[in-house]
Amino acid sequence: MPYSAQAMFDLVADVEKYPEFLPWVSAVRVRSNNDSEMIADLIVGFRSLRERFTSRVVKTRPHSLRVDYIDGPLKHLRNEWRFEPAGPGGVDGCVVDFTVDFAFRGRIFEAIAGQMFDTALRRMIGAFEKRADALYGSPVGISNSSAHSAA
């Protein structure tokens, strides 16, 4: 991404803003939040399906965010964001690495999610990229197209 690791960390850590730009996130309630950890509920929905997820977000500013599942409809969920400066001193923006591991409790949801996972993930990544562009603009001398292909 053509933005600093700190800027991307701040964007992803601002969970309360997710309903403004992330598809399927309709509400957020932050239960607790400090410099190193957040506990939050997300209401996620698709059509008439609505589910609440409670997660713990462990923050290591500006390098990483780890999301551990506490409660909800899944068997397990864990995702991790890593933000590494690109180029000396991060002058070329940063590399964002996102991993997710999850499983549904029921086989029906597992089958549905398996069919839609790639499309949903691409849509969510695109939403974060668009949010970054809207918040930070396009830095001079860094091409968004090359940054987006690397994300």
Side-chain angles (χ1 to χ4, degrees):
M1 294 295 295
Y3 313 107
S4 71
Q6 180 67 53
M8 292 307 298
F9 177 97
D10 290 343
L11 184 155
V12 176
D14 194 3
V15 173
E16 288 178 294
K17 301 282 196 233
Y18 283 10
E20 295 177 17
F21 70 95
L22 267 182
W24 310 296
V25 177
S26 58
V28 171
R29 181 181 71 143
V30 175
R31 295 183 184 192
S32 64
N33 191 14
N34 62 45
D35 287 343
S36 62
E37 182 181 272
M38 173 192 312
I39 306 288
D41 298 325
L42 271 69
I43 304 296
V44 178
F46 180 73
R47 296 186 181 152
S48 63
L49 217 65
R50 297 262 183 265
E51 295 288 350
R52 180 182 55 82
F53 294 80
T54 303
S55 298
R56 172 180 293 108
V57 180
V58 178
K59 301 183 264 185
T60 307
R61 185 175 299 276
H63 305 288
S64 68
L65 292 160
R66 188 185 77 229
V67 181
D68 294 315
Y69 181 71
I70 296 174
D71 188 35
L74 300 175
K75 193 183 301 183
H76 73 269
L77 168 69
R78 181 170 200 175
N79 63 36
E80 190 160 352
W81 294 84
R82 294 204 173 274
F83 311 97
E84 297 296 329
V91 296
D92 295 324
C94 74
V95 175
V96 178
D97 182 41
F98 174 71
T99 58
V100 62
D101 178 34
F102 73 96
F104 283 96
R105 291 185 202 273
R107 292 180 190 265
I108 293 171
F109 284 117
E110 189 77 44
I112 293 169
Q115 294 173 357
M116 297 175 34
F117 180 75
D118 189 55
T119 301
L121 185 60
R122 288 179 192 276
R123 221 172 132 195
M124 290 180 70
I125 290 169
F128 277 102
E129 290 174 338
K130 286 180 185 175
R131 179 70 171 185
D133 291 345
L135 289 176
Y136 308 128
S138 184
V140 176
I142 299 175
S143 164
N144 269 347
S145 61
S146 65
H148 287 257
S149 64

